[in-house]
Amino acid sequence: MPEVEPISRESTAAIIARQLREAIMTGALQPGDQLGEAELAARFQVSRGPLREAMQRLVSEGLLRSERHRGLFVIELEPGDIYDIYAARAAIERAALIRIIRSDPAGAGARLREVLAEMAGAAGDGDSSAMSRADLRFHEELVALSGSRRLARMASTLLIETRMCLAALQRTDHSPADRVAEHTAIVEAVEAGDEQRALELLEAHMEDAITRLAPGTSLYSAPPQVPDDGVDITG
């Protein structure tokens, strides 16, 4: 038998980092929030050593920023970041839609309608967190249905940033009913095999999110500059 390395258990720092990452993605920790060491150490019931290690991991991932003499803060997405995220998503999901409509639009439509039912249920219950989870799942499923491993891999790298954007959308005036209607229209175009209509609706969906999250920014205008220290999540 070849020599193998022993399996190590997840470290305390890794567990803390995972929980903080989830809190940022879901909006429990919002952009601009400061993370206090003493409070978090008491909440996690750990010493400051593993807590500091966990927070430094999130700094390296781009989820936290460090301010000299002030501490650590949850990053805030700048207009250039938001434009970049949605422009990248639009490119990926456009390619996915084309593949879907040219292969099995009926089958894809049926799968997407299952997620639409989740979205509608969450909207009816007034559960904004469940709504965002279903919204994210819709777009993950759309890319997965393309059958392209490479598109799926590219989409997965935008996961954290997308979830942060969806959490931020909850704080705008975009009603759950309107969000469900936008996704329903995309599915109807897919089921009809109307490629041009589906692509137009997808682009409009991305454009609407950009204008809500970064007023004055548009897919159709010159892209705003992404700051040198802007978010660039790779982990």
Side-chain angles (χ1 to χ4, degrees):
M1 183 176 179
E3 188 175 337
V4 295
E5 294 291 330
I7 298 174
S8 61
R9 295 179 180 177
E10 189 176 23
S11 69
T12 301
I15 294 170
I16 296 170
R18 175 163 45 79
Q19 292 189 29
L20 290 175
R21 193 182 295 113
E22 181 70 18
I24 292 170
M25 289 194 298
T26 60
L29 283 172
Q30 295 190 12
D33 281 354
Q34 184 173 12
L35 275 65
E37 277 190 15
E39 179 187 352
L40 286 174
R43 182 176 298 182
F44 285 113
Q45 298 183 359
V46 297
S47 66
R48 294 195 182 190
L51 178 63
R52 286 172 179 165
E53 181 183 340
M55 292 195 292
Q56 284 306 311
R57 291 188 186 196
L58 298 190
V59 170
S60 67
E61 291 176 12
L63 287 174
L64 297 180
R65 58 181 171 81
S66 177
E67 290 192 13
R68 189 175 177 82
H69 303 308
R70 292 195 63 206
L72 295 173
F73 298 80
V74 178
I75 59 100
E76 299 174 83
L77 295 174
E78 300 291 340
D81 294 312
I82 292 168
Y83 174 94
D84 210 27
I85 292 164
Y86 278 94
R89 285 186 57 200
I92 292 167
E93 294 185 33
R94 249 184 90 87
L97 270 179
I98 290 171
R99 290 175 66 113
I100 287 169
I101 293 173
R102 295 179 185 180
S103 55
D104 183 18
R111 293 279 296 277
L112 290 172
R113 282 202 176 270
E114 294 176 11
V115 190
L116 275 178
E118 290 181 27
M119 292 184 70
D125 294 339
D127 189 337
S128 59
S129 294
M131 179 71 177
S132 288
R133 288 195 298 272
D135 191 330
L136 181 66
R137 184 165 168 255
F138 178 95
H139 292 277
E140 288 180 317
E141 189 72 14
L142 188 154
V143 176
L145 287 167
S146 73
S148 169
R149 295 191 304 275
R150 290 168 180 81
L151 287 177
R153 188 163 61 239
M154 287 188 287
S156 70
T157 66
L158 297 169
L159 176 64
I160 295 177
E161 295 154 308
T162 297
R163 289 187 67 174
M164 291 179 70
C165 288
L166 290 175
L169 275 173
Q170 293 180 21
R171 301 188 288 274
T172 70
D173 61 355
H174 197 189
S175 75
D178 286 344
R179 289 171 68 179
V180 173
E182 287 179 16
H183 290 80
T184 300
I186 293 172
V187 174
E188 289 173 348
V190 168
E191 291 172 330
D194 191 336
E195 183 177 303
Q196 182 176 349
R197 175 68 173 157
L199 294 176
E200 288 173 351
L201 288 167
L202 176 69
E203 192 171 270
H205 179 58
M206 298 295 180
E207 170 71 4
D208 181 70
I210 289 177
T211 56
R212 290 178 186 279
L213 294 174
T217 304
S218 169
L219 278 176
Y220 309 114
S221 62
Q225 183 177 358
V226 178
D228 292 338
D229 59 349
V231 62
D232 184 15
I233 299 169
T234 57

